[in-house]
């Protein structure tokens, strides 16, 4: 069960796959993941974790609630 806070990029991808997202696929400046008609951009790899604020924006694009995220 991931806490709603900073998360590593690889963990984000793994959790999104658990939510039926496919990818990540390359395209443009960022990779992206798809679930039916929803397409979300994934941050590029960097040294630090994905911050809580950025995670919140990504989950909002993915239509995933904080409660749904924490149930994973």
């Amino acid at each position: 069960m991931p806490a709603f806070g900073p998360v590593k990029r690889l963990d984000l991808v793994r959790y999104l796959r658990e939510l039926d997202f496919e990818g990540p696929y390359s395209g443009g400046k960022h990779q992206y993941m798809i679930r039916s008609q929803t397409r979300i951009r994934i941050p590029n790899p960097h040294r630090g974790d994905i911050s809580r604020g950025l995670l919140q924006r990504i989950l909002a694009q993915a239509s995933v609630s904080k409660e749904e995220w924490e149930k994973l």
Side-chain angles (χ1 to χ4, degrees):
M1 168 174 9
F4 189 77
V7 65
K8 295 184 185 313
R9 182 182 186 277
L10 290 177
D11 291 337
L12 173 65
V13 170
R14 181 170 44 99
Y15 295 136
L16 289 174
R17 284 184 181 153
E18 289 181 27
L19 293 169
D20 298 325
F21 279 86
E22 297 176 2
Y25 302 107
S26 296
K29 294 181 180 180
H30 293 275
Q31 292 183 333
Y32 61 93
M33 295 183 78
I34 298 175
R35 177 176 67 182
S36 64
Q37 298 297 319
T38 305
R39 179 177 168 167
I40 59 169
R41 289 185 295 168
I42 302 298
N44 291 325
H46 57 285
R47 285 186 250 153
D49 290 344
I50 295 170
S51 69
R52 180 183 173 125
L54 181 54
L55 176 61
Q56 184 175 13
R57 291 191 302 256
I58 291 169
L59 295 180
Q61 287 179 359
S63 301
V64 175
S65 69
K66 179 180 175 183
E67 291 78 23
E68 186 178 2
W69 174 258
E70 291 178 339
K71 286 182 184 178
L72 293 177

